[in-house]
Amino acid sequence: MNRPPIDLRSDTVTRPTPEMKRAMLEAPVGDDVYGDDPSVNALEARTAELLGKEAALFVPSGTMANQIAVAVHTRPGDELLCAETSHVYVWEAGGVARHSGVTARTFPGDLGLLRLEEIEDAIRPDDIHYTRTRLVWLENTHNRGGGRVQTMESVAAIRHWARENQLAMHLDGARLMNAVVATGTSAADWARHFDTVSICFSKGLGAPVGSALAGSADTIKRARAVRKLLGGGMRQAGFIAAGAHHALDHHVERLADDHAHARILADAFSATEGFSLESGPVETNLVWVTVDPSLGTAAEVVAYLKTHGIRLSALGGQVVRACTHLDVSREDAEYAAKVIRQIEPAMITAVTLVY
């Protein structure tokens, strides 16, 4: 039986549902730079309320939301503190230095989840020889940490310390709604510990484009100017804002399905010789797996699975990632798990020889 490909490379590959397309087509629009787009205005107000902040700003991508956050909290020469595997440090093309002139001081974290004991003595002295420590950066859920959720207790402890030391805090909440569904804790409760929060609509929520940055009214006013500077001022953006509205209406609670499907894949990898989970039990929709060299390389495993219609990402010499999402059904996950459980070294070698 010929199956459509099962794309597990990322939750960014989702396609808008027919209902979402209809909502986008019918959206009222205007010029957002002039503040005239009713769909964008409504989404920004809705996002601010969702996150318990005074205001929010709609932007094209999560990377832009994060880069704007750096800019509004710092000045050139400042320093931010983050885990060494944070998206802002690893996957945003050095933007903190290129756009804001800021250096990132990194820490191992607990598989990417920053710990207070790592940073509590990290603030630079008030001395002309040093950069100014200004911003603490957390990511929840943490992509490179296997989609793990940073506990509320650890977030609150870091926030208390940051306030005592007059440091700003930003939450990269690209997959914040996954943390909400996994824990039952509201988005506003997560966000209350942070000065700014970014959230993506184009990952697990399934919208085709768009993210938002939320914070105080004054912060978002300054953020709007930075968005313009970065080329993020959009015109009739209500069409894509409508996709985000539809996602918030229909695609939040179903994230639990993605989490269940990820556990199916994780169980298959755990049960198959040559694979091991990098970050322990899977908590949300990301499965990071280490490939034993006796089985082959990550690229070779990905090539083998592709011959069976399953697409994963090779994100290191011996590391693969699977990511479940709106377009992956339980049947898809079970089929992929079945193929994974049957993998043996000879199969990987055979595909490598063909390629």
Side-chain angles (χ1 to χ4, degrees):
M1 180 180 68
N2 291 327
R3 300 178 55 93
I6 301 170
D7 197 340
L8 297 165
R9 290 174 299 166
S10 176
D11 45 11
T12 62
V13 303
T14 56
R15 293 154 296 181
T17 63
E19 296 79 13
M20 182 181 285
K21 289 179 182 178
R22 190 175 306 115
M24 294 171 69
L25 181 64
E26 297 173 355
V29 299
D31 190 314
D32 178 45
V33 174
Y34 284 113
D36 293 340
D37 193 303
S39 297
V40 172
N41 293 342
L43 178 64
E44 290 177 342
R46 181 179 187 177
T47 303
E49 182 178 7
L50 174 72
L51 298 173
K53 300 300 183 185
E54 291 181 339
L57 178 68
F58 187 47
V59 298
S61 70
T63 292
M64 183 176 286
N66 283 343
Q67 292 302 314
I68 293 172
V70 175
V72 297
H73 289 306
T74 63
R75 64 191 183 204
D78 283 351
E79 171 186 77
L80 67 83
L81 310 179
C82 67
E84 63 189 10
T85 54
S86 295
H87 192 280
V88 71
Y89 181 67
V90 178
W91 284 304
E92 296 185 15
V96 294
R98 296 178 68 176
H99 297 310
S100 297
V102 169
T103 59
R105 189 174 181 188
T106 64
F107 303 84
D110 175 14
L111 290 171
L113 303 182
L114 206 61
R115 299 172 296 181
L116 175 59
E117 56 265 33
E118 291 181 290
I119 62 174
E120 58 187 346
D121 295 324
I123 298 175
R124 303 289 188 182
D126 183 10
D127 185 293
I128 61 171
H129 295 89
Y130 297 102
T131 185
R132 182 182 72 149
T133 306
R134 178 65 190 122
L135 177 60
V136 181
W137 195 278
L138 302 185
E139 184 177 326
N140 209 12
T141 67
H142 198 283
N143 177 4
R144 193 60 185 86
R148 293 171 65 215
V149 180
Q150 182 133 11
T151 67
M152 184 64 76
E153 292 76 15
S154 67
V155 171
I158 292 172
R159 178 55 173 172
H160 177 75
W161 169 83
R163 280 180 172 155
E164 286 187 333
N165 290 281
Q166 299 181 313
L167 303 180
M169 282 188 63
H170 174 74
L171 172 61
D172 178 351
R175 294 182 175 90
L176 177 60
M177 300 312 293
N178 290 92
V180 168
V181 170
T183 63
T185 301
S186 72
D189 278 345
W190 284 113
R192 65 188 173 89
H193 295 288
F194 298 88
D195 299 286
T196 52
V197 182
S198 61
I199 184 171
C200 286
F201 305 115
S202 58
K203 290 188 169 67
L205 294 178
V209 182
S211 293
L213 179 71
S216 70
D218 179 66
T219 297
I220 297 305
K221 181 180 179 180
R222 289 183 284 119
R224 196 172 294 275
V226 179
R227 184 187 71 168
K228 181 64 176 174
L229 174 67
L230 295 177
M234 298 176 284
R235 300 301 177 175
Q236 287 71 41
F239 292 117
I240 55 176
H245 275 295
H246 184 87
L248 290 173
D249 286 338
H250 300 284
H251 295 169
V252 174
E253 292 183 2
R254 63 146 309 280
L255 290 172
D257 296 337
D258 297 344
H259 301 172
H261 299 161
R263 289 191 289 272
I264 292 172
L265 298 175
D267 289 345
F269 279 117
S270 295
T272 306
E273 187 175 354
F275 296 113
S276 59
L277 297 181
E278 268 206 340
S279 53
V282 168
E283 297 180 14
T284 55
N285 70 322
L286 293 167
V287 185
W288 285 78
V289 180
T290 300
V291 180
D292 191 273
S294 63
L295 187 61
T297 66
E300 289 167 347
V301 169
V302 168
Y304 170 78
L305 289 171
K306 189 176 180 180
T307 66
H308 289 265
I310 303 165
R311 304 190 70 181
L312 271 68
S313 294
L315 295 174
Q318 299 300 136
V319 177
V320 299
R321 188 188 74 172
C323 184
T324 53
H325 51 77
L326 179 67
D327 292 348
V328 176
S329 66
R330 183 178 182 88
E331 181 184 4
D332 292 334
E334 289 175 344
Y335 169 76
K338 179 180 177 181
V339 174
I340 291 165
R341 288 175 184 272
Q342 294 171 348
I343 292 177
E344 296 178 358
M347 297 175 178
I348 306 299
T349 303
V351 171
T352 303
L353 290 174
V354 170
Y355 275 75

